[in-house]
Amino acid sequence: MTSEKRKGLLERLAEGPVIGDGSMCMTLEKRGYCTAGPWTPEATVLYPDAVRQLLREYLRAGADVLQTPCFYSSDGKLEYSDVKFTSAEINAMACKLAREVADEGDAIVCGGLSPVVSYIQGKGEKAVRKEFEAQLQVFIDYDVDFVLAEFFGHVEEIEICIDVMKRAKKPMGATMRIGPIGDMNGVSVEECAVRMAKAGADMIGINCLFDINTCLKVLRRMKKALDDADLHPYLMCQPLGWLCPEVEENFCGYLALPETPLGLDPRTITRMDAHRFAREAYEIGVRYIGGCCGIESHHIRAFSQELSKERNKQPAVNDLCPKLGAQLCQSLLPNIREKVKDKFWMDLTPASGRPFSPAISAPEKSATFMTK
């Protein structure tokens, strides 16, 4: 199937929920293909086979969209991180890999734009636009299906990015890394949602930094603000794959946890959590559900399976891993066979297995982003 014959983003959203892919840099780091700290995606050039395989896992788990694996690939950020490749080189390979794997199924490709250092450094709008234009041009050249501005902490910056993205003449998404306290300048959740919509994004929402429960709180507020303003973009969310309720009132979100970045594993959400989140998000009105840091392929599968009726399809590979406990009846162990019902798993409160592990941590007061 060629990409030209596929339905585009807006067509798919009009028909029902769309499932995005999951974590790239964080997951690649666990597999040995990304450096913790800078989180830059030079693996697309150095280890394309590893990146290709992760994209393929998301596709087979049910993702309708594969995002170009080039997070934070702006020239300013790459220079700051001492990466020896340009954003054009990384983004070009990211486009090739995403398209190659998308063509193995019925997926479309999203080109992702990230915040730029020139904004934080206060170099002015002209410099900021130049960095965004450099990111965008590769996505235009490789004809991605839609573009997305993600991980923005300042609504002012994402408004500039949305305006630049209009050059691509493609559907546009916009997501901010905000929790209940709003953006890093104190702009409320409600105002951020309205401003992103008024700037021209077809799809708006949040990604990263906060967990599924915090994201649901923010999404409810966004939906009400948009309805009150008579604005109707599609809502999207790409939450974390860890639980971190103690950082709701912190601009840095999970980055303020002492466990970040190497000790977050005990906080990983279960697939049951993923099922609940997908259902609650859909009921709020969210129509694009994907994942950010910590969301792995089994979480994407859970999103897809939970909304299979609304989507009128199951994950591409679903024979060996049906929803929750459906095939546990084949186990040789009687106690495992008894867990075949969904209700057992959805009612389960999992233990951590760590006798002296605290329920939550104290966020680190030193955590902060670079500011203007």
Side-chain angles (χ1 to χ4, degrees), residues 144-206:
V144 300
D145 297 295
F146 71 99
V147 287
L148 169 69
E150 67 169 357
F151 198 68
F152 284 75
H154 303 85
V155 69
E156 178 187 54
E157 185 183 10
I158 202 170
E159 286 174 315
I160 298 171
C161 187
I162 292 169
D163 192 55
V164 170
M165 290 195 303
K166 291 174 182 176
R167 285 187 49 234
K169 294 181 172 57
K170 296 178 181 294
M172 299 184 298
T175 57
M176 298 186 69
R177 59 177 194 244
I178 58 174
I181 58 176
D183 90 343
M184 295 186 69
N185 289 329
V187 179
S188 72
V189 164
E190 289 80 3
E191 184 176 343
C192 286
V194 169
R195 286 172 64 171
M196 283 190 284
K198 287 186 174 180
D202 302 294
M203 184 171 64
I204 68 108
I206 49 178

Side-chain angles (χ1 to χ4, degrees), residues 56-99:
R56 185 173 289 125
E57 289 177 18
Y58 290 131
L59 176 73
R60 293 176 176 176
D64 302 301
V65 175
L66 297 181
Q67 189 169 328
T68 53
C70 50
F71 172 71
Y72 247 161
S73 186
S74 64
D75 285 329
K77 176 62 167 64
L78 295 176
E79 291 169 7
Y80 189 85
S81 304
D82 196 31
V83 174
K84 305 306 180 185
F85 300 100
T86 67
S87 65
E89 291 172 319
I90 292 175
N91 287 4
M93 183 58 77
C95 288
K96 293 176 183 176
L97 293 172
R99 180 65 72 190

